[in-house]
Amino acid sequence: MKKAKTLFVICALGIFTHNQIQGQELSVVRAARVNVNQLPEYVIITSQNTKLLGGINIIIDYKKSTYKNSLRELEELLQDGDKLRVRNQTDLLNSMSKLGFEYVNAYNASAVTASAGKDDLDVIFDELDGGEGSFRINMVFRKKEKFRG
């Protein structure tokens, strides 16, 4: 009975997310609020694959940065599904290139451990994620030479 409930919830989530996911098309928008000249020379973007939601979670650490407002606006632009539609690392690389940055390097930020299976929801997330958890990747970008000051 418990497996039947779990299977039903997984199927329901699959149908719901399938209807919400749009094609992986990179829409180029004029990001008037994000100006490459107001951003630092280097930007580190943390991304985490969110298989359940069909995309990636994007995080830019802007706390206590002198570029706080610009970095926050960049994070919002990259996360906004109606603008750049960044759904995976390929989209992120292409979007950052169009915004005036080039890729430098990437490295694992930290492991996200699989849940301990304390309740049904944790078990469902583990099964959807393969029971292995996921990793956060830091991607380092640098302004293209023509934008460096």
Side-chain angles (χ1 to χ4, degrees), residues 120-131:
D120 289 338
L121 190 58
D122 286 336
V123 172
I124 291 168
F125 286 137
D126 274 351
E127 288 179 18
L128 289 174
D129 197 29

Side-chain angles (χ1 to χ4, degrees), residues 21-24 53-56 85-89 91-92:
I21 295 173
Q22 298 177 357
Q24 294 184 11
L53 302 176
I56 61 173
R85 295 189 186 275
V86 175
R87 308 288 295 163
N88 55 42
Q89 275 86 14
D91 291 346
L92 179 59

Side-chain angles (χ1 to χ4, degrees), residues 52-128:
L52 177 64
L53 302 176
I56 61 173
N57 184 31
I58 296 173
I59 304 159
I60 300 175
D61 187 11
Y62 49 77
K63 295 177 187 173
K64 298 182 181 180
S65 171
T66 56
Y67 299 96
K68 181 178 182 175
N69 293 334
S70 297
L71 290 171
R72 182 185 309 139
E73 289 172 2
L74 175 62
E75 181 183 76
E76 289 172 6
L77 175 69
L78 292 171
Q79 289 178 347
D80 192 331
D82 293 333
K83 294 183 179 167
L84 291 178
R85 295 189 186 275
V86 175
R87 308 288 295 163
N88 55 42
Q89 275 86 14
T90 301
D91 291 346
L92 179 59
L93 288 166
N94 287 311
S95 295
M96 289 301 290
S97 179
K98 291 182 185 297
L99 292 172
F101 285 85
E102 56 190 18
Y103 168 79
V104 176
N105 197 4
Y107 57 94
N108 285 342
S110 61
V112 178
T113 59
S115 64
K118 295 178 182 175
D119 60 19
D120 289 338
L121 190 58
D122 286 336
V123 172
I124 291 168
F125 286 137
D126 274 351
E127 288 179 18
L128 289 174

Side-chain angles (χ1 to χ4, degrees), residues 43-47 89 92-93 103 105-106 137-141:
V43 176
I44 299 174
I45 299 176
T46 304
S47 62
Q89 275 86 14
L92 179 59
L93 288 166
Y103 168 79
N105 197 4
I137 305 295
N138 282 339
M139 297 179 86
V140 181
F141 295 93

Side-chain angles (χ1 to χ4, degrees), residues 17-66:
T17 57
H18 176 72
N19 290 336
Q20 297 299 319
I21 295 173
Q22 298 177 357
Q24 294 184 11
E25 177 183 10
L26 180 64
S27 302
V28 179
V29 296
R30 295 198 174 141
R33 290 176 46 193
V34 176
N35 184 348
V36 70
N37 296 322
Q38 295 175 348
L39 289 165
E41 184 171 344
Y42 289 92
V43 176
I44 299 174
I45 299 176
T46 304
S47 62
Q48 178 182 358
N49 189 5
T50 56
K51 294 177 188 174
L52 177 64
L53 302 176
I56 61 173
N57 184 31
I58 296 173
I59 304 159
I60 300 175
D61 187 11
Y62 49 77
K63 295 177 187 173
K64 298 182 181 180
S65 171
T66 56

